[in-house]
Amino acid sequence: MPPKTYTRLALVLSSVGMLMPTTAPAQEAGSNALEEIVVTARKRSESVLDVPISINVISEQAIERLGAEDFTDLLTSVPSLTAYENGPGRTRLSIRGIANGGGNDNDTQNQETVGIYMDEVPISMGAMNPEFNLFDLKRVEVLRGPQGTLYGAGSLAGTVRLVSNQPDLSEFSGKVDASVLSVAEGDQGGGIKGLINVPIIPGKLALRASSYFTDTPGYIDNALTGESDLNRALSRGLKLSTLYQATDDLSATFTFINHDYTDNGRPEDLDRAPELSRDFPSFDGYDDEMQLYNLTINYNLGWGELVSSTSYFDRFVVNRRSLDDLFGAALPPTVIPNELVDSTDTETLVQEIRVSSDNDGRLNWTAGVYFDERDTFYLNTFPVPGADAALGIDSPSLYGAPVDNLFWGFDDLTVKTAAIFGEVYYDIDRWTITLGMRYFDWEQDIDFYQSGLFNGGSNSDPRPTGEEDGVNPKLNVSYDVNDEWLIFGQAARGFRYGGINGAIPEAVCAEELAEVSRQGGDTRFFDSDSTWNYELGTKGSFADGAMTLSATVFSVQWSDTQTQRSFECGFGFRENVGELTSQGIEFEYDARFGDALTFTLGGAYMKAELDQDVPNLGALEGDKAPFVPELTLNTSLEYQTPLSPTLDSYTWVNAQYVDERSTEFDLENSNNKLMDSYTLVNFRTGIVWDRMDISLFINNLTDSRAVVRALGRPPFDPDARIRVQPRTIGVSLRAFF
């Protein structure tokens, strides 16, 4: 978007704010006013309309209407939020066109561009973001733009916060949610969820417990083996949260979450096979188990609040991938190709202590310290039973790998981070100036080993220690036009850490390594990259609180971009090459008409383009970033009406539009796949009486076969598609007590 366009948009947004009523007293909200939404995006409780940043909030009711099980189900409901999807638990989020692409799912150096938090706990993991079930969440907050001061590295493009309902000290309550459903071209499934809140000692001690079991139907068949619905998935989980109110000023909350997920195959259909089917024999199911422990202590200081959050996060993933097309022809007919088996075991310890002031004066602030340590052991294996005998080799003595392992290797990684952060908020009449800063110190150590026939032998070259420190600033200025409307501008820097590449075996990649050496490159490590984000926005309410509007124009400059260079030999490395600029506008509008009708509309228009040629990607200046749609829109309409004094009904319709996308920067690249634009329509209608809610829902009403991810890098990835789930029809029953 040219600078003149930005100037015009900025003037429009300013004019919208200035045209709002300028009387100082707030008007009383009308009887049909929208409910106020309170968020903790800046680590303090405040109305979403008072937070001078671009933020989208998905309420608990909106999550239930969508039937969303995890944050991937919310993608098209949030302007500027997109993803590089590769199946549950393997989704890479993108905000404002800043995408994390390249590398395999389990790559320990494939770091995130969007930070993900479960309450106080950072859980994002690059290409394998964990997807906890959304049951009993109070809301999901999506903070767009770099959040480097309060949330640190990994929030290069923004942050997603999953905010849980907390234990209630005064009221015994509970909820049961059961559903059955059927998928077109697939099978049947369903799930059951339940929660209970118990004040063990009223006013002092309460327990909130929730659990879920979900059977997600499959719809991908195997044309070769005859297996049906192979991507069927099961997930189950438990959450326990205990709140102890020691005194009026001191409280402690302990939370434990366990989540298990397993499926029988990736949701991919191959171009060469019939739609929604594939034709290779390897099993590529996925297993994901995680436990999260958190202790949060809150102390009211009178003039502010002290918060200490201590967390431990443990996750074990087994991620399988078919390599039949790559190695099937190289093996004797008597040997059946097997899948590559990756396992990743990660343990993370996080400690944060912060203090936030809370007074009526002009000056308020938040300051804190942060520390984390993440230990990751990644095992990469290609076991093929009978391979050694069929090929006449001895893998242990010749290639340093276990018997019948054509490749075997590991990364043993430790990353430590320390930071001091803070934000200061100063009011001058109707103006508020926010200054933020974060100092970080990062260190990474890695040991690795690679072996096997396809590695050309064994190697374990020592890697250097990765170290970096620095400062990330933020400036935000906002102006209260009146008590219902504000305008804001912000400049902020986001960042993510660099890393250390594993060694590339000279036995199979000698020529390509020599070429990198001649170019003066270094395959051993890569540096951090960063973004500078500039935005101008406005938000507020009008029509006596019955309507709200927010809109933001932005420009993001991404420097020293971490990109993946792939070698023909099958290996590759990460390096800093390229500059990219993403520019656009995002907006949300919510309105309530009387007591019956609620309408929402949101969208984003953005262009993310390279500022210079990037030879290792075959990309040129001006090429558009892959997997980033220029235009996304979403809208919903809900109508509620009473049927009797004790019986109400509702009907909800939601539509989501996503523009076309490509898989490569260079549209002429032979590997490029174009993903067409698509529109999804979801529908739900139900009745509510007493403490019951029963509804009929149809997701993907038109039974679209839209592609959310295209694959095509032969021979590693045959041409394939990941599509939206076909039309899904079901019934849901919720009971409250």
Side-chain angles (χ1 to χ4, degrees):
M1 192 178 293
K4 289 184 178 179
T5 303
Y6 267 96
T7 302
R8 289 195 293 268
L9 287 170
L11 289 172
V12 169
L13 290 175
S14 300
S15 300
V16 169
M18 292 301 184
L19 288 173
M20 293 299 104
T22 56
T23 52
Q27 297 177 344
E28 285 193 22
S31 60
N32 64 332
L34 292 163
E35 182 179 354
E36 181 184 31
I37 300 174
V38 176
V39 297
T40 51
R42 296 196 296 179
K43 303 198 175 183
R44 52 177 63 233
S45 295
E46 50 196 337
S47 169
V48 68
L49 295 178
D50 293 333
V51 182
I53 63 174
S54 181
I55 177 173
N56 177 275
V57 180
I58 306 170
S59 67
E60 184 173 16
Q61 183 184 51
I63 293 171
E64 291 177 346
R65 293 286 191 264
L66 282 166
E69 295 291 340
D70 50 51
F71 62 71
T72 302
D73 294 332
L74 304 176
L75 288 174
T76 51
S77 298
V78 182
S80 295
L81 179 64
T82 56
Y84 177 92
E85 297 188 46
N86 208 18
R90 290 155 289 183
T91 295
R92 312 177 194 184
L93 293 184
S94 169
I95 292 178
R96 293 181 173 174
I98 306 302
N100 175 23
N104 65 53
D105 296 337
N106 298 71
D107 186 350
T108 59
Q109 303 298 322
N110 201 348
Q111 300 181 44
E112 63 274 3
T113 62
V114 175
I116 303 174
Y117 281 69
M118 171 62 78
D119 295 320
E120 293 283 346
V121 187
I123 60 172
S124 44
M125 293 181 65
M128 292 198 304
N129 285 311
E131 299 199 43
F132 288 108
N133 193 281
L134 302 182
F135 181 60
D136 200 30
L137 278 192
K138 190 172 185 177
R139 63 184 179 273
V140 176
E141 300 175 3
V142 181
L143 287 58
R144 291 173 295 224
Q147 306 297 322
T149 54
L150 293 182
Y151 294 97
S155 290
L156 183 78
T159 300
V160 175
R161 302 186 66 245
L162 312 178
V163 182
S164 302
N165 286 307
Q166 296 301 304
D168 188 330
L169 292 168
S170 60
E171 183 177 355
F172 177 85
S173 61
K175 175 181 176 182
V176 176
D177 185 332
S179 62
V180 292
L181 53 90
S182 177
V183 174
E185 308 296 335
D187 57 3
Q188 293 74 46
I192 185 165
K193 309 168 189 175
L195 73 88
I196 187 170
N197 185 93
V198 182
I200 300 173
I201 304 175
K204 283 287 186 183
L205 180 65
L207 171 68
R208 190 178 187 93
S210 62
S211 183
Y212 56 86
F213 175 83
T214 303
D215 180 359
T216 303
Y219 50 86
I220 301 293
D221 298 334
N222 193 315
L224 179 66
T225 66
E227 183 183 5
S228 299
D229 310 321
L230 60 87
N231 63 315
R232 188 185 191 100
L234 298 175
S235 61
R236 55 191 180 274
L238 171 68
K239 180 178 180 180
L240 300 174
S241 186
T242 302
L243 170 61
Y244 176 54
Q245 190 73 45
T247 68
D248 290 343
D249 296 324
L250 179 63
S251 66
T253 304
F254 176 76
T255 300
F256 167 74
I257 302 176
N258 182 85
H259 174 80
D260 291 325
Y261 171 90
T262 185
D263 63 36
N264 291 318
R266 294 177 182 243
E268 300 173 4
D269 63 344
L270 302 188
D271 287 8
R272 68 190 184 211
E275 188 176 80
L276 299 181
S277 67
R278 52 206 263 184
D279 62 2
F280 51 77
S282 294
F283 174 73
D284 60 0
Y286 180 78
D287 299 299
D288 195 349
E289 180 180 355
M290 51 189 124
Q291 294 85 36
L292 185 152
Y293 305 81
N294 175 258
L295 174 64
T296 299
I297 298 173
N298 295 76
Y299 183 66
N300 185 350
L301 301 167
W303 48 265
E305 183 181 35
L306 170 68
V307 178
S308 170
S309 173
T310 306
S311 308
Y312 174 74
F313 182 38
D314 188 7
R315 186 182 186 197
F316 181 71
V317 170
V318 179
N319 187 23
R320 304 170 183 88
R321 177 186 177 190
S322 168
L323 292 179
D324 294 1
D325 282 8
L326 180 61
F327 295 124
L331 297 173
T334 55
V335 178
I336 299 175
N338 272 42
E339 63 276 0
L340 189 74
V341 181
D342 291 344
S343 61
T344 304
D345 191 357
T346 303
E347 298 180 11
T348 307
L349 177 66
V350 182
Q351 176 65 57
E352 178 172 307
I353 300 175
R354 67 177 183 271
V355 179
S356 298
S357 67
D358 183 15
N359 58 65
D360 296 328
R362 291 185 173 184
L363 180 66
N364 275 290
W365 48 270
T366 296
V369 294
Y370 174 91
F371 171 81
D372 70 28
E373 179 174 337
R374 175 175 292 181
D375 295 308
T376 302
F377 186 81
Y378 164 48
L379 183 62
N380 180 210
T381 68
F382 186 39
V384 182
D388 279 15
L391 295 172
I393 62 174
D394 183 357
S395 288
S397 62
L398 292 176
Y399 301 107
V403 173
D404 290 338
N405 272 265
L406 301 182
F407 182 88
W408 193 92
F410 68 80
D411 290 357
D412 191 356
L413 174 71
T414 298
V415 179
K416 296 180 181 179
T417 308
I420 302 172
F421 64 90
E423 289 191 348
V424 176
Y425 320 102
Y426 188 72
D427 296 333
I428 306 173
D429 194 18
R430 291 183 175 272
W431 295 89
T432 299
I433 300 174
T434 301
L435 294 174
M437 192 163 291
R438 187 182 191 98
Y439 168 78
F440 66 89
D441 185 88
W442 165 85
E443 180 180 302
Q444 177 182 126
D445 288 296
I446 187 170
D447 292 322
F448 81 96
Y449 177 79
Q450 296 170 336
S451 64
L453 173 65
F454 291 151
N455 192 65
S458 63
N459 59 287
S460 57
D461 297 342
R463 299 285 93 181
T465 296
E467 295 180 318
E468 187 173 2
D469 64 353
V471 173
N472 288 279
K474 168 184 173 180
L475 170 64
N476 182 291
V477 178
S478 63
Y479 176 74
D480 291 321
V481 178
N482 55 44
D483 289 343
E484 288 83 34
W485 206 266
L486 68 80
I487 299 172
F488 65 88
Q490 178 169 282
R493 184 177 186 267
F495 72 108
R496 63 175 172 172
Y497 300 121
I500 305 168
N501 293 308
I504 299 173
E506 290 191 21
V508 293
C509 302
E511 291 185 8
E512 291 171 292
L513 282 171
E515 179 62 24
V516 172
S517 180
R518 283 193 294 270
Q519 296 170 358
D522 194 330
T523 65
R524 295 176 302 163
F525 54 83
F526 56 97
D527 296 326
S528 62
D529 54 358
S530 63
T531 55
W532 268 104
N533 176 86
Y534 307 94
E535 62 187 73
L536 177 67
T538 185
K539 62 172 63 178
S541 65
F542 50 99
D544 290 343
M547 300 181 184
T548 64
L549 173 68
S550 64
T552 306
V553 290
F554 62 85
S555 178
V556 184
Q557 278 78 54
W558 189 4
S559 302
D560 300 320
T561 309
Q562 296 174 12
T563 58
Q564 181 78 15
R565 185 189 297 204
S566 298
F567 285 163
E568 293 296 326
C569 63
F571 292 83
F573 67 99
R574 201 165 286 272
E575 60 182 338
N576 299 88
V577 181
E579 310 283 331
L580 181 144
T581 297
S582 177
Q583 302 178 105
I585 182 169
E586 56 209 9
F587 73 94
E588 285 115 354
Y589 170 72
D590 298 285
R592 176 178 249 175
F593 302 96
D595 295 329
L597 189 64
T598 303
F599 172 75
T600 71
L601 176 65
Y605 174 80
M606 56 187 172
K607 278 193 173 183
E609 300 177 337
L610 286 174
D611 296 332
Q612 59 184 217
D613 296 350
V614 184
N616 72 325
L617 298 178
L620 302 176
E621 179 182 352
D623 284 350
K624 296 178 182 179
F627 297 99
V628 178
E630 280 194 5
L631 178 65
T632 57
L633 293 169
N634 67 83
T635 184
S636 68
L637 190 68
E638 181 167 3
Y639 182 74
Q640 301 178 348
T641 183
L643 301 177
S644 73
T646 59
L647 191 66
D648 295 317
S649 70
Y650 63 89
T651 299
W652 174 85
V653 180
N654 166 259
Q656 305 162 352
Y657 171 81
V658 178
D659 214 346
E660 67 179 15
R661 296 131 291 138
S662 63
T663 62
E664 306 286 337
F665 279 101
D666 178 14
L667 300 184
E668 302 303 319
N669 188 310
S670 60
N671 291 324
N672 183 59
K673 305 297 177 185
L674 183 66
M675 296 167 281
D676 291 334
S677 61
Y678 65 89
T679 300
L680 295 181
V681 180
N682 303 308
F683 170 84
R684 184 180 293 264
T685 185
I687 55 175
V688 180
W689 76 100
D690 193 19
R691 292 178 174 268
M692 303 284 287
D693 179 339
I694 185 169
S695 62
L696 166 71
F697 61 89
I698 307 175
N699 293 334
N700 190 3
L701 182 68
T702 62
D703 200 22
S704 169
R705 293 291 186 268
V707 175
V708 297
R709 164 92 191 282
L711 303 91
R713 283 189 172 273
F716 294 92
D717 292 312
D719 290 350
R721 302 287 187 270
I722 296 177
R723 304 179 187 271
V724 298
Q725 184 168 297
R727 181 191 294 122
T728 302
I729 302 175
V731 176
S732 174
L733 173 65
R734 297 188 182 94
F736 306 85
F737 58 88

